[in-house]
């Protein structure tokens, strides 16, 4: 598990601000899974769905209390909120494809200038798994991407055109990185928010796709 | 209990060249006792395995791959076993990667007499290459075919004497659909109860779908039962 | 309810002889529903499925004990056998179309010389309902037709070509009337059995389709 | 309970020209309280009704037909209401007759993001006229489209405060699929319980599908509740 102050956690914390009471939310593998730690849900008004077949996913169990047969899509132990239910994968993806999940938060390998994503394959490398990503991409009402702005090798993940195969043709709605937040419209990316640690110039330098600036560009606050 | 057999007896039902469905999302809901028996059932080779994953390197279904007994893997997420990629690249393994929702729906279709279905998932991606794509109400859909198997190896929680099944929490996953989509369905279960002990409203798999029941001997984490 | 010695009951009694231990059986509306009264199922080894969503349908309830919310496809009150289960219509017809029901016993309006049936519509009349008949016809492993040999107007129901619209292209496997029992092969109908009350001549006269005689033609016994 | 409304409030959610799904197999599992309210909701006309049957002559949905408020009926068995045939023959009603399995599967497809599916049911019959028919593995299949509605009126047995639903015996029938396939889903229920009182394994309709809950006031046989 990453330390609470790590980059991934800051991204997750920012993404959690997008979750509103009454939302039905699916969290993908990786940074999205961390989002669950950053919104209060004492009133049980946010409902996490995991595509392996549970609605009403609760927080991570206390060490030593894990039920190995109760896991999320990342295969990590979770708990059961009051009012939770279980269903098969077919029913779960019926729920997803049928448009019943309001928000999906996904990790990506790349995002292109139009807000389309690649997150399931790297040609020639040992990544060959799509899981539920393509179904979530076509089914969720709103798609939020959470990702580090740069790869581990220091290359931009937001690129003009994806070199990795696309996960679908649908544009995502919001892209949250450790550097910035972008919304997406028909013409492409709009910079909405800068992380307090970075400058506009740094974002421009480290983003390989064109983007416009929002008229209401903000500095990100995580408080 | 009429349908109760041992895991060794179950393996005698599998033949070389068979297509097998194997339940589970990773190890959760996987029929671990049956998979262990399959590892030792060396008579069965040239297998096509339909399962969300194909185990891990030299673990579970991954062991059967390393033994050269898997001809083809159909699933949604092979990343957890790098061997799959290696065998595929060397031409030693055919693979068919499907979105997880398509995989589960295709298994359901196979069991429900559906000849094919259209889904938006994978439209416009490499995964829909060589598939029929058509526009429906202005959006692109991919035609997906049903999946069938000779034998399904599934895991349930409780079975009554007729073979009615319930599942436990997130172990349900692919198991109920696989129970409908194979010629022979073998369910590994944690608990055997008398017919009538299960609430009719909570039976997820009616016994019409279940041919044999095997007592689970391996729990997650490796603990042996009984 | 018809008297026990009526024509319908005799047909049902004969059909019940086709039911074997271990069979999963769906009974259609009308005479097929009566079949349930004519096989012993004390060991719970025959399993009746009703397409409105129950496996393990028990016998008709004692008068005064009916549960109005527990009915068969004929909307008649039934009971619950031990080991019964309930499911939605979608799941029920998945079971039917998917080939999991061994025997379906159907009523018909007409059967043609090839063993194809018409049982859902009469042009110009107030019959406009297909229910589950077409699904059962494509899905059940074995189809048994139970019908009176003649219509109420005294016309043959087994005809050269159906004047009513067909329910599907599949041939049925067995046709049981009050006069006779026919099997069906690729070329058409084969007379297998004569009811004790009728002669071969009567069957020939009242059947509007050609049929062959089985080499092992029997006289029906209902004991 | 946040979602609890009266049957009159429920009717305000229905507009002229709407497509409604109405659960039940005959009267069993039909939302009798909501149907009664619909009879009195005269503001809503020009309706398309998706339901296995269309009531009986001047009873239930049959009353709405006689009031001239039904434009189209989609179902599997109209024989129980001869009015349907009469109105159809007079050109006062459009009808779409589907095999019962196709009807239930089309509703499921509508809720599950399936753009269409192939079934053998009705291939070679009048009911597949004007539909795409294709040969798959040597057999004819008919392409069927998903069904959607503006509002679904369904009946369940118990609802918890979130809106999770269970059903009672053969009342389940079309209700769980209809709960997934409409913009607004209104469930009439016999019993209201606290969230947590339903076993998570026996919840058939997760609350994500349910928008409003109405207390049932009419039981089968005509008895009034409460």
């Amino acid at each position: 598990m990453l330390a609470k102050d790590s980059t991934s956690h800051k991204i997750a914390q920012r993404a959690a601000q997008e979750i509103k009471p009454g939302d039905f939310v699916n969290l993908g593998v990786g940074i999205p899974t961390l989002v669950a730690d950053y919104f209060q849900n004492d009133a049980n008004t946010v409902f996490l769905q995991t595509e392996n077949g549970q609605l009403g996913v609760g927080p991570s169990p206390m060490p030593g209390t894990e039920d190995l047969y109760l896991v999320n899509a990342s295969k990590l132990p979770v708990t059961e909120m009051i009012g939770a239910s279980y269903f098969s994968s077919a029913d779960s993806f019926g729920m997803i494809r049928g448009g019943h999940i309001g928000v999906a938060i996904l990790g990506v390998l790349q995002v292109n200038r139009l807000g389309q994503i690649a997150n399931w394959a790297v040609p020639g490398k040992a990544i060959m798994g799509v899981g539920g990503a393509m179904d979530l991409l076509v089914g969720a009402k709103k798609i939020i991407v959470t990702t580090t702005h740069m790869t581990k090798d220091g290359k931009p993940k937001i690129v003009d055109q994806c070199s990795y195969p696309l996960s679908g043709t649908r544009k995502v709605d919001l892209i949250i990185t450790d550097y910035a937040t972008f919304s997406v419209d028909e013409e492409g990316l709009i910079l909405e928010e800068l992380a307090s640690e970075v400058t506009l110039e740094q974002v421009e330098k480290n983003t390989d796709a064109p983007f416009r600036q929002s008229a209401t560009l903000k500095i990100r606050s995580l408080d | 209990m009429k349908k109760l057999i041992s895991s060794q007896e179950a393996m005698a039902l599998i033949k070389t060249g068979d297509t097998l469905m194997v339940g589970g999302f990773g190890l959760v809901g996987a029929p671990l006792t049956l998979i262990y028996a399959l590892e030792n059932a060396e008579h069965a080779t040239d297998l096509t395995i339909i399962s969300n994953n194909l185990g891990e390197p030299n673990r579970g279904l991954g062991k059967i791959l390393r033994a050269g007994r898997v001809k083809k893997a159909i699933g949604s997420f092979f990343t957890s076993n790098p061997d799959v990629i290696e065998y595929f690249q060397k031409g030693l393994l055919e693979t068919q990667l499907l979105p997880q929702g398509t995989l589960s729906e295709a298994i359901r279709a196979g069991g429900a007499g559906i000849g094919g279905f259209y889904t938006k998932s994978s439209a416009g991606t490499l995964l829909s290459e060589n598939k029929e794509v058509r526009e429906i109400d202005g959006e692109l859909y991919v035609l997906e075919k049903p999946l069938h198997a000779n034998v399904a190896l599934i895991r349930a929680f409780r079975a009554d004497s007729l073979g009615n099944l319930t599942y436990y929490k997130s172990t349900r996953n692919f198991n109920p659909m696989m129970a409908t989509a194979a010629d022979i369905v073998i369910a590994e279960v944690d608990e055997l109860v008398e017919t009538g002990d299960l609430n009719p409203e909570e039976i997820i798999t009616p016994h019409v779908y279940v041919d044999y029941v095997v007592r689970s001997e391996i729990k997650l984490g490796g603990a042996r039962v009984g």
Side-chain angles (χ1 to χ4, degrees), chain A, chain B:
Chain A
M1 191 62 96
L2 296 161
K4 284 274 180 186
D5 61 352
S6 76
T7 301
S8 295
H9 276 271
K10 284 188 178 170
I11 298 167
Q13 189 179 357
R14 174 62 189 85
Q17 294 175 351
E18 298 294 318
I19 308 299
K20 303 285 178 283
D23 278 349
F24 291 85
V25 182
N26 181 293
L27 302 178
V29 176
I31 295 175
T33 301
L34 303 176
V35 174
D37 294 342
Y38 288 100
F39 56 85
Q40 288 294 318
N41 196 19
D42 299 337
N44 195 15
T45 57
V46 172
F47 306 102
L48 295 183
Q49 194 255 21
T50 182
E51 64 256 37
N52 51 317
Q54 185 186 2
L55 181 66
V57 177
S60 305
M62 301 290 287
T65 69
E66 296 91 350
D67 179 342
L68 296 176
Y69 294 102
L70 180 52
V71 301
N72 62 17
S74 302
K75 294 170 184 131
L76 297 172
V78 294
T79 53
E80 179 183 288
M81 294 294 282
I82 189 170
S85 54
Y86 299 97
F87 30 84
S88 70
S89 294
D91 287 346
S92 182
F93 282 95
M95 195 180 282
I96 289 168
R97 277 189 320 258
H100 306 283
I101 299 300
V103 183
I105 306 186
L106 300 176
V108 295
L109 298 167
Q110 294 179 324
V111 188
N112 73 15
R113 64 187 291 162
L114 295 172
Q116 295 172 316
I117 64 173
N119 72 347
W120 67 279
V122 178
K125 290 225 182 158
I127 295 179
M128 190 165 151
V130 61
M134 289 187 182
D135 304 289
L136 285 159
L137 191 58
V138 300
K141 287 185 198 137
K142 179 176 182 177
I143 304 270
I144 300 174
V145 160
T146 56
T147 179
T148 56
H149 204 85
M150 312 294 277
T151 66
K152 283 177 189 154
D153 305 340
K155 297 199 178 112
K157 285 188 161 190
I158 303 175
V159 294
D160 196 62
Q161 296 192 47
C162 294
S163 56
Y164 302 150
L166 288 179
S167 301
T169 57
R170 174 180 171 179
K171 300 161 179 36
V172 301
D173 298 282
L174 204 65
I175 303 156
I176 299 173
T177 78
D178 44 335
Y179 283 32
T181 302
F182 299 89
S183 64
V184 183
D185 70 7
E186 287 308 302
E187 279 143 50
L189 311 181
I190 302 167
L191 180 68
E192 297 284 352
E193 188 182 76
L194 279 176
S196 54
E197 302 88 337
V198 297
T199 63
L200 178 59
E201 291 66 36
Q202 283 176 296
V203 173
E204 283 173 340
K205 180 166 168 253
N206 291 297
T207 304
D208 261 0
F211 59 84
R212 286 158 288 150
Q213 268 186 53
S214 167
T216 58
L217 181 65
K218 293 186 198 67
I219 303 300
R220 178 181 295 171
S221 161
L222 291 182
D223 302 322
Chain B
M1 185 171 189
K2 189 182 65 177
K3 296 175 167 182
L4 188 66
I5 60 173
S6 72
S7 59
Q8 286 70 32
E9 288 171 321
M11 289 308 114
L13 300 164
I14 301 175
K15 303 180 307 299
T16 283
D18 270 359
T19 295
L20 307 186
M21 289 182 177
V22 183
F25 179 76
L27 294 178
V28 177
L32 299 173
T33 306
L34 291 169
I35 291 172
Y36 183 81
L38 182 62
E39 290 173 15
N40 293 303
E42 293 173 8
H43 72 279
T45 64
D46 205 25
L47 300 170
T48 294
I49 293 186
I50 301 171
S51 192
N52 193 54
N53 318 96
L54 199 69
E56 295 173 22
N58 214 31
R59 288 188 61 192
L61 294 171
K63 203 165 230 172
I64 300 164
L65 176 63
R66 282 227 183 144
R69 292 164 50 205
V70 183
K71 184 179 76 173
K72 183 172 181 181
I74 301 174
S76 93
F77 197 79
F78 298 131
T79 307
S80 47
N81 187 355
D83 281 358
V84 173
I85 293 88
E86 191 189 319
Y87 276 64
F88 169 72
Q89 289 173 340
K90 286 185 182 163
L92 301 171
L93 178 73
E94 294 170 59
T95 61
Q96 185 182 355
L97 196 64
L98 294 169
Q100 199 176 328
T102 300
L103 176 64
S104 54
E105 188 71 11
I107 298 167
R108 179 189 176 278
I114 299 296
F117 61 91
Y118 289 98
T119 172
K120 282 190 275 188
S121 306
S122 96
T125 76
L126 290 181
L127 290 190
S128 64
E129 282 188 324
N130 305 320
K131 291 184 177 177
E132 178 185 315
V133 175
R134 78 195 276 166
E135 195 176 307
I136 301 173
D137 295 335
E139 296 202 77
L140 293 181
Y141 285 77
V142 182
L143 176 62
E144 299 283 359
K145 297 289 182 61
L147 290 170
H148 294 275
N150 300 101
V151 181
L153 307 179
I154 67 166
R155 181 173 195 133
F157 180 41
R158 292 198 175 100
D160 70 15
S161 301
L162 288 175
N164 287 305
L165 303 179
T166 66
Y167 299 89
Y168 178 83
K169 298 189 190 283
S170 41
T171 67
R172 197 181 300 188
N173 56 63
F174 290 89
N175 290 299
M177 288 83 72
M178 289 182 173
T180 70
D183 299 334
I184 300 172
V185 174
I186 306 167
E188 168 176 345
V189 303
D190 289 280
E191 296 184 9
L192 299 169
V193 301
E194 293 297 312
T195 301
D197 284 355
L198 300 178
N199 175 356
E201 305 279 2
E202 75 181 331
I203 291 169
I204 299 299
T205 297
H207 65 94
V208 64
Y209 292 116
V210 181
D211 297 296
Y212 298 99
V213 171
V214 168
R215 208 183 284 268
S216 184
E217 291 171 3
I218 307 176
K219 294 219 184 264
L220 258 188
R224 284 210 156 246
V225 182

